[in-house]
Amino acid sequence: PCPAGVEEEDGDEELLGAGGPRTWTPQEKLLHEARLKAKAKRRLRRTSSRDSTRESLSEGGEPGPEPGSPKGRAHDRRSRMGKGRGLPKKGGAGGKGVWGAPGVVYGYQEPDARDPNYDEAAQGDTVYATVVPELEEGELEKNVQPMVMEYFEHGDTSEVMELLRGLNLGSRRHAVPSLAVALALEGKASHRELTSRLLSDLVGHIVTPEDIAWAFDKMLQDLPDLILDTPEAPQV
């Protein structure tokens, strides 16, 4: 056998042993033929590699990555659509998620309320106001009736006025005196006296004289219905 890295140049040297020519066994012959075939294949590969290198150099180009290799595609700046010269788009400016070209100064832009990053609190002086919707007819009765019934217990008109200020009565202010009188008709004489005092204090603060007049006119029209619950309603 030859030393590592050294190939036999002539296969006939294998025929000479230490004492001269000798006869090979069949196994040695097969091994020798396999070595000769392998050596011929290596020579053929070296020859074809040298020829391809000479051809590439003669064409004036340097050996680079194969056309289909990922490394070659990663650094290829040419358009995949077959258009353009391979230069950066817009001179390196514009595009999604970039700041733009160096040295470009942008003017002031008015904030857009539809922008997802719009911050209303950062737009200068902001005034916050609580908007209370106007009460519907059913909601008004549900809120005012407990106030009047509690008023019959404590008799403090200022507390009732503070609670009514927290409600948006809107165009239904006249319903407050109408409801208070209807509850007083069903109660005792003391409740009617308290209701009279309450209506007097509400005028000019919560309701107007026109609201009081409208409420009594409406109750006179509904008197037949009030008699069903309070028979002495016309006299009271």
Side-chain angles (χ1 to χ4, degrees):
C2 300
V6 179
E7 299 178 355
E8 302 106 350
E9 294 297 334
D10 190 0
D12 295 339
E13 295 178 0
E14 297 276 345
L15 299 174
L16 300 177
R22 64 182 179 83
T23 304
W24 283 16
T25 63
Q27 291 81 5
E28 290 176 341
K29 288 183 179 180
L30 293 175
L31 180 61
H32 179 65
E33 292 176 357
R35 289 177 177 175
L36 292 178
K37 291 180 181 179
K39 183 166 61 175
K41 289 182 180 179
R42 287 196 295 270
R43 289 177 179 175
L44 181 61
R45 284 197 297 268
R46 286 199 298 268
T47 303
S48 61
S49 176
R50 293 191 192 101
D51 294 342
S52 61
T53 304
R54 292 192 190 98
E55 291 177 359
S56 62
L57 293 176
S58 62
E59 293 176 358
E62 297 181 356
E66 298 180 2
S69 65
K71 184 177 180 181
R73 289 195 302 267
H75 300 283
D76 185 9
R77 304 189 68 176
R78 290 178 295 179
S79 173
R80 302 297 189 272
M81 303 297 295
K83 301 178 181 180
R85 298 176 297 167
L87 300 177
K89 295 182 179 179
K90 301 181 181 178
K96 183 177 181 181
V98 298
W99 287 97
V104 176
V105 179
Y106 296 95
Y108 175 76
Q109 295 182 354
E110 191 70 23
D112 187 1
R114 295 174 296 179
D115 189 349
N117 297 323
Y118 179 77
D119 186 5
E120 184 179 358
Q123 304 307 319
D125 297 335
T126 305
V127 178
Y128 295 93
T130 303
V131 179
V132 180
E134 183 177 343
L135 292 178
E136 300 291 338
E137 184 175 357
E139 295 177 350
L140 188 143
E141 182 176 354
K142 187 187 301 183
N143 286 272
V144 175
Q145 183 172 352
M147 298 180 189
V148 177
M149 298 302 295
E150 292 179 6
Y151 168 69
F152 290 159
E153 299 294 332
H154 56 71
D156 187 359
T157 59
S158 60
E159 181 177 340
V160 179
M161 285 190 291
E162 288 298 325
L163 294 175
L164 290 176
R165 286 192 180 97
L167 302 176
N168 186 5
L169 301 175
S171 60
R172 292 185 172 84
R173 294 190 304 269
H174 56 81
V176 174
S178 178
L179 181 59
V181 172
L183 294 174
L185 292 177
E186 299 174 2
K188 300 180 292 185
S190 59
H191 296 167
R192 297 163 191 166
E193 177 61 30
L194 289 172
T195 302
S196 178
R197 188 190 310 166
L198 176 64
L199 297 181
S200 177
D201 292 345
L202 291 180
V203 173
H205 299 281
I206 303 298
V207 296
T208 62
E210 290 76 12
D211 294 329
I212 298 291
W214 195 99
F216 275 94
D217 184 64
K218 184 70 169 59
M219 283 188 292
L220 292 175
Q221 295 177 10
D222 297 339
L223 193 58
D225 295 332
L226 295 175
I227 293 176
L228 297 177
D229 297 328
T230 310
E232 66 276 10
Q235 289 78 21
V236 175

